[in-house]
Amino acid sequence: MILSVSTVKDTVPNLEKFVRRNLAGGIDHLLVFLDDEQPEAAELLKAHPQVTCVQTHRRWWHGQRPRGLNERQGRNAALSVRILSEFDWADWVFHIDGDEVVDLDRDILDAVPAGERVVTLEPWEAVSRLRWGHDPTWFKTLLDDDQLVLLSMLGLIPRPNNKAYFRGHIAGKVGVRPAADLRIAIHAVADQDGGRVEPHERAVGRVLHYESPDGEEFARKWQALIRSGPAPSQRSGRAATGRAVKALLDLGLTPEEAEPFLLRMFEVTGLDDFETLRDLRLLREVDPDTWVRTPESLPEGAAQALRAALRQERREKRVGDWPGAEAPPGPAPDEG
């Protein structure tokens, strides 16, 4: 079985799409850690047979909730990998965010040699416009050096590199064969000694990243991110955006008063030239809402056993002792 783990805070409609699309894209069961008190979201997720929902706003952290979102994500993911290593039905687990959709190539994944413990998903980022009117179905992929020089010469990006082309991460995401000695972070995996575990050489699919595809989502996401705690570790361009949003929110403006300024930031930092990129044939069209797939169900009694294992971890106060947020040493991917 293929599983995913996520730490999320989002609207109920977005969470419904997140679950439905990932199940259609190749995930069989989702572990979702709700990062805040969200009773309606919890009700939706707990009612879904392909989801195990963990609410973390009360007793989960035993009064020691990590301040940073990256650390909470890492600890929840590392814990999940360790717990899933106890179940022989868990073949792979992918660490994804709430704005991401897995698109697995099962032929490639099934052909990964048994000795390979880590695989990757290459990033496809949704093209941004000020307003779409619907969820975007056009995505950017990583470009080669000559293509990047072309976009730079046309004035579409400030510098000829993929970090200037993508708004979010360019490292993609990782999946692991669950094992007690593996620690999965945001974009990389370490062993029990903290050393980086190199992934299989060929990506096993894509991760569709809906990174602020329009002004409304930009405003919602950045406000939620800033209010979730200290700013996550990000590359310089995104770090500057985070500082600017925090400065705006610190002025005491209401959400309605802040919105026009957030939209102006989005126009300056986040807009793509959709028509030109499409005319250059650099975009890929994908609509996960058209995918049809029936996920594999957990074996009988497995859902109860998984929930029991999670409850035991909480009772034993082991969550905060398990590292997982830090990127392992070595040649670091560009994590965005």
Side-chain angles (χ1 to χ4, degrees):
M1 290 192 65
I2 314 300
L3 298 98
S4 66
V5 56
S6 308
T7 299
V8 303
K9 178 182 178 181
D10 211 329
T11 65
V12 169
N14 281 351
L15 287 172
E16 187 279 327
K17 287 189 290 188
F18 169 71
V19 171
R20 170 170 47 81
R21 290 171 173 173
N22 276 293
L23 292 174
I27 301 298
D28 295 311
H29 196 87
L30 294 88
L31 275 71
V32 180
F33 292 80
L34 285 178
D35 198 43
D36 204 345
E37 186 171 8
Q38 297 177 269
E40 292 182 352
E43 182 179 357
L44 168 77
L45 297 173
K46 289 185 174 183
H48 201 296
Q50 260 74 41
V51 177
T52 294
C53 175
V54 180
Q55 299 182 81
T56 67
H57 61 281
R58 292 180 182 173
R59 295 177 293 175
W60 181 251
W61 298 110
H62 294 279
Q64 298 178 332
R65 182 178 188 260
R67 294 185 62 210
L69 174 60
N70 280 170
E71 186 176 359
R72 298 195 297 275
Q73 289 174 316
R75 290 187 187 277
N76 288 335
L79 171 68
S80 300
V81 169
R82 187 179 69 193
I83 287 177
L84 289 170
S85 70
E86 302 171 5
F87 300 103
D88 58 9
W89 45 260
D91 297 312
W92 293 97
V93 57
F94 290 85
H95 188 190
I96 58 175
D97 291 338
D99 62 352
E100 294 176 334
V101 174
V102 168
D103 182 14
L104 284 179
D105 187 320
R106 284 305 300 264
D107 290 338
I108 299 177
L109 182 63
D110 293 343
V112 173
E116 298 278 4
R117 310 178 73 192
V118 179
V119 293
T120 59
L121 298 167
E122 63 183 40
W124 286 25
E125 183 179 271
V127 177
S128 70
R129 305 179 81 176
L130 188 59
R131 294 178 181 84
W132 271 102
H134 56 79
D135 284 349
T137 57
W138 291 90
F139 291 82
K140 300 182 295 187
T141 62
L142 297 178
L143 302 182
D144 63 32
D145 290 344
D146 289 342
Q147 292 169 332
L148 290 166
V149 169
L150 170 63
L151 295 191
S152 179
M153 291 293 291
L154 291 173
L156 298 180
I157 55 176
R159 301 174 306 282
N161 59 58
N162 279 304
K163 288 190 290 184
Y165 184 43
F166 273 40
R167 299 178 307 283
H169 63 79
I170 65 172
K173 287 302 178 74
V174 290
V176 301
R177 299 186 194 271
D181 66 330
L182 291 183
R183 169 164 56 90
I184 189 169
I186 307 299
H187 301 280
V189 178
D191 59 25
Q192 60 187 352
D193 298 320
R196 182 178 297 274
V197 181
E198 295 301 323
H200 182 58
E201 60 183 2
R202 187 179 182 187
V204 299
R206 296 146 294 280
V207 57
L208 307 182
H209 191 191
Y210 293 86
E211 167 56 42
S212 303
D214 58 36
E216 181 181 355
E217 182 62 11
F218 174 89
R220 185 203 68 79
K221 181 180 295 184
W222 275 103
Q223 290 189 72
L225 188 63
I226 296 303
R227 288 166 175 158
S228 69
S233 175
Q234 303 183 61
R235 65 171 187 254
S236 58
R238 284 174 57 81
T241 301
R243 291 179 62 187
V245 174
K246 183 178 186 303
L248 179 66
L249 299 180
D250 286 347
L251 294 175
L253 302 180
T254 66
E256 293 76 16
E257 292 171 331
E259 183 175 1
F261 299 104
L262 290 167
L263 291 178
R264 187 182 302 179
M265 287 186 202
F266 178 70
E267 291 187 68
V268 172
T269 65
L271 278 182
D272 292 314
D273 189 334
F274 167 63
E275 287 78 10
T276 301
L277 292 173
R278 184 181 57 183
D279 292 346
L280 289 170
R281 300 181 182 177
L282 293 175
L283 303 179
R284 301 291 180 267
E285 189 172 15
V286 180
D287 185 358
D289 290 332
T290 66
W291 297 344
V292 178
R293 173 182 176 270
T294 301
E296 183 180 347
S297 297
L298 290 177
E300 184 176 355
Q304 296 88 335
L306 179 56
R307 288 195 295 268
L310 288 163
R311 286 195 298 269
Q312 181 177 351
E313 291 287 343
R314 180 184 58 78
R315 284 196 301 267
E316 295 182 3
K317 300 186 179 181
R318 293 164 59 186
V319 179
D321 296 332
W322 187 249
E326 306 86 355
D334 205 317
E335 300 185 357

